[in-house]
Amino acid sequence: MNQSEDYLLAIESSCDETAAAVITREMRILSNVVSSQTRLHEKFGGVVPEIASRAHLERILPVIDDALSQAGITLDQLTAVAVATEPGLVGSLLIGLTAAKTLALTLEIPLIAVNHIEGHLFACQMQEERPLFPAIGLVVSGGHTNLYHCSETLQFDLIGATIDDAAGEAFDKVAKILGLTYPGGPSIQKAALQGNPKAFPFPRTFLKDPELRFSFSGLKTAVLYEALGNPGARKQPPALTAERVADLAASFQATVVDVLVAKCQQALTRYGYTTLCVGGGVAANALLRERLEEMTKQTGCHLSLAPPDLCTDNAAMAAIAWHHLDQGRIATLDLDVTPGLVR
């Protein structure tokens, strides 16, 4: 290992993944360790904040140790430490921030605050050989479905968002309705392979609305009524067979993808951009990636999709911290977290 090389330790604990990564200034990922909490939350069908924060507390130090070991470096070789401080669950964010502050203080290295959502978009840049921005950015995950006007690397302005459920949240809830496993994204995608995406004409909310906004709550309810019946209705749906589950999954997935693709195209047109970057857990969905590729090819735009291993929550995407460091954006030890969702 080059002893003169600069190394960034990045820490991610915004929700239910405890992660740490070591990235060089040249954006080489030397390690990217993620400890998943899926088994802890699957019986609830979603993330339980208190369980998540307790799990982070148990795992944060072993994960950091693993990241350093896999990168082949020691603490005294670190140039800086970065940590996601917003948005997310307050207890989870605080675990990562406390660890990062401790390292920054004891090692006397810069502490850098990173926005988790901006990290998802920067994950696209990490695979590009040329500067990606300016661009339209879509972050589509369990907590967020947001569109951004990305004028430059550190300037991401929100231009559209969901008014209720995020796409990933809807995937999880619909999976539970259909009796599929958690997390919902992979299980619905798998079930949809055997289904007919045109079997059920679910509502595509705001599809042709000029506003850049999303809504998936009504779609979730439509699936619920189609699958289990509308309370009080005289006519109830047939039994939820494997074939029916597949058709419902395929129709739901197709509906979500139609809306996401349409809004991305609408944003590109409105802002006159020819580059689209997409990140977040739902960005790993095969149908979404396929449809986005078709749309950008037809419109002559450049599409940058986050690599599948950098779509779900991870620490490597916090490599955006190098840009913060270069611009002197160093946090002080009274840094606090900003929990919640971005709407």
Side-chain angles (χ1 to χ4, degrees):
M1 192 69 67
N2 185 352
Q3 296 298 314
S4 64
E5 197 163 18
D6 290 335
Y7 304 109
L8 171 75
L9 173 66
I11 299 172
E12 158 65 39
S13 66
S14 62
C15 189
D16 62 333
E17 309 287 0
T18 311
V22 175
I23 312 104
T24 69
R25 187 178 287 276
E26 292 72 34
M27 300 299 167
R28 290 194 300 120
I29 302 173
L30 302 184
S31 64
N32 191 21
V33 179
V34 180
S35 178
S36 174
Q37 297 181 15
T38 297
R39 291 187 177 181
L40 297 177
H41 302 285
E42 60 185 354
K43 66 179 178 180
F44 304 104
V47 177
V48 180
E50 179 63 20
I51 293 176
S53 59
R54 288 178 180 272
H56 284 306
L57 188 60
E58 295 175 355
R59 301 177 183 189
I60 189 72
L61 293 182
V63 165
I64 291 173
D65 284 342
D66 285 349
L68 293 170
S69 177
Q70 290 183 24
I73 68 168
T74 55
L75 285 172
D76 61 347
Q77 293 177 264
L78 292 175
T79 304
V81 57
V83 61
T85 59
E86 62 177 316
L89 303 174
V90 61
S92 296
L93 287 167
L94 284 171
I95 301 301
L97 177 58
T98 301
K101 281 184 177 182
T102 302
L103 289 169
L105 176 63
T106 57
L107 298 174
E108 298 182 339
I109 57 176
L111 171 67
I112 305 168
V114 172
N115 183 301
H116 173 82
I117 293 182
E118 293 178 2
H120 273 308
L121 293 175
F122 190 76
C124 300
Q125 177 66 77
M126 295 179 72
Q127 66 174 353
E128 297 284 340
E129 295 181 356
R130 64 176 180 81
L132 180 61
F133 306 108
I136 292 297
L138 170 69
V139 174
V140 55
S141 64
H144 295 91
T145 302
N146 295 355
L147 279 166
Y148 289 88
H149 170 211
C150 311
S151 56
E152 55 187 57
T153 303
L154 297 180
Q155 187 64 49
F156 302 97
D157 296 314
L158 183 68
I159 57 174
T162 178
I163 64 171
D164 42 56
D165 292 353
E169 181 182 0
F171 268 93
D172 287 340
K173 291 178 177 179
V174 168
K176 189 171 184 179
I177 291 169
L178 300 181
L180 300 173
T181 58
Y182 174 85
S187 62
I188 285 181
Q189 178 174 273
K190 182 178 180 181
L193 293 174
Q194 308 300 321
N196 177 7
K198 298 182 179 180
F200 301 97
F202 290 132
R204 286 156 169 78
T205 309
F206 298 141
L207 183 67
K208 297 181 180 180
D209 192 295
E211 297 299 320
L212 296 173
R213 54 183 175 174
F214 305 89
S215 172
F216 298 107
S217 180
L219 169 60
K220 172 196 65 184
T221 303
V223 176
L224 173 65
Y225 289 166
E226 195 64 57
L228 304 179
N230 190 337
R234 292 184 179 181
K235 185 178 180 181
Q236 296 298 329
L240 202 57
T241 62
E243 180 180 356
R244 190 170 173 80
V245 166
D247 285 346
L248 286 165
S251 298
F252 164 78
Q253 178 179 251
T255 300
V256 173
V257 169
D258 281 351
V259 172
L260 293 174
V261 173
K263 288 301 176 181
C264 284
Q265 184 172 356
Q266 187 176 339
L268 286 166
T269 300
R270 178 172 300 183
Y271 285 85
Y273 281 171
T274 57
T275 299
L276 173 68
C277 54
V278 183
V282 181
N285 181 275
L287 180 62
L288 176 59
R289 296 173 82 90
E290 177 185 326
R291 289 286 309 283
L292 286 171
E293 287 175 356
E294 292 174 354
M295 182 271 287
T296 51
K297 185 176 181 180
Q298 291 173 358
T299 56
C301 294
H302 173 66
L303 173 65
S304 183
L305 292 164
D309 61 336
L310 296 184
C311 284
T312 52
D313 290 353
N314 66 91
M317 64 189 189
I320 192 174
W322 281 122
H323 291 272
H324 287 280
L325 184 62
D326 289 342
Q327 293 194 17
R329 298 185 180 185
I330 300 173
T332 57
L333 290 177
D334 62 355
L335 175 67
D336 203 353
V337 300
T338 305
L341 298 173
V342 176
R343 292 287 189 267

